[in-house]
């Protein structure tokens, strides 16, 4: 299990910048009131497809993923683990932002 977490982190680092950028864009639209929470998750899920396509097209994924394949990990599972962790982190970020927004409205 420990190696799976480490390998997933190494895999996630290659898409970390894109995921964080998309997180900030979704939070921006959410705080402006243009989308609701469900809409921001829909935007996030659609952007996952863009991230995967961009990574495959620009980084030539057939050569990049040899390290993970040789380690015995399935690329589809690594995508699932990394994007699930990213979605959970986004949910925690939204919860904290809504909590802070509520506290600010009280005081």
């Amino acid at each position: 299990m420990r190696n799976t977490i480490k390998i997933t982190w190494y895999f996630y680092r290659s898409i970390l910048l894109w995921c964080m950028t998309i997180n900030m864009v979704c939070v921006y639209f959410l705080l402006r009131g243009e989308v609701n929470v469900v809409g921001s998750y829909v935007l996030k899920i659609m952007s996952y497809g863009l991230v995967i396509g961009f990574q495959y097209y620009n980084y030539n994924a057939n050569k990049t993923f040899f390290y993970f394949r040789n380690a015995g990990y399935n690329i589809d599972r690594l995508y699932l683990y990394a994007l699930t962790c990213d979605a959970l982190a986004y949910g925690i970020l939204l919860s904290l932002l809504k909590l802070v927004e509520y506290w600010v409205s009280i005081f």
Side-chain angles (χ1 to χ4, degrees):
M1 182 69 174
R2 184 179 175 123
N3 286 337
T4 303
I5 293 170
K6 190 184 296 186
I7 292 291
T8 302
W9 171 247
Y10 291 148
F11 181 78
Y12 182 66
R13 281 192 327 188
S14 65
I15 60 175
L16 181 66
L17 177 66
W18 300 107
C19 287
M20 290 300 129
T21 304
I22 291 165
N23 282 346
M24 293 302 121
V25 168
C26 288
V27 165
Y28 174 74
F29 285 131
L30 183 70
L31 290 179
R32 285 190 59 195
E34 295 181 13
V35 295
N36 57 7
V37 174
V38 175
S40 70
Y41 265 108
V42 169
L43 287 174
K44 188 108 176 97
I45 289 171
M46 289 186 333
S47 66
Y48 285 154
L50 292 173
V51 167
I52 292 169
F54 183 75
Q55 184 183 23
Y56 183 79
Y57 182 74
N58 281 346
Y59 294 114
N60 199 1
N62 293 332
K63 295 178 184 174
T64 305
F65 296 142
F66 277 139
Y67 171 76
F68 302 109
R69 288 184 184 140
N70 288 339
Y73 290 95
N74 187 358
I75 300 303
D76 296 335
R77 235 181 232 175
L78 287 174
Y79 271 121
L80 179 69
Y81 294 157
L83 297 180
T84 300
C85 290
D86 184 59
L88 289 174
Y90 182 65
I92 292 170
L93 176 69
L94 286 183
S95 299
L96 290 175
L97 284 175
K98 288 294 184 179
L99 188 63
V100 167
E101 188 178 11
Y102 175 72
W103 283 345
V104 167
S105 69
I106 290 175
F107 299 111

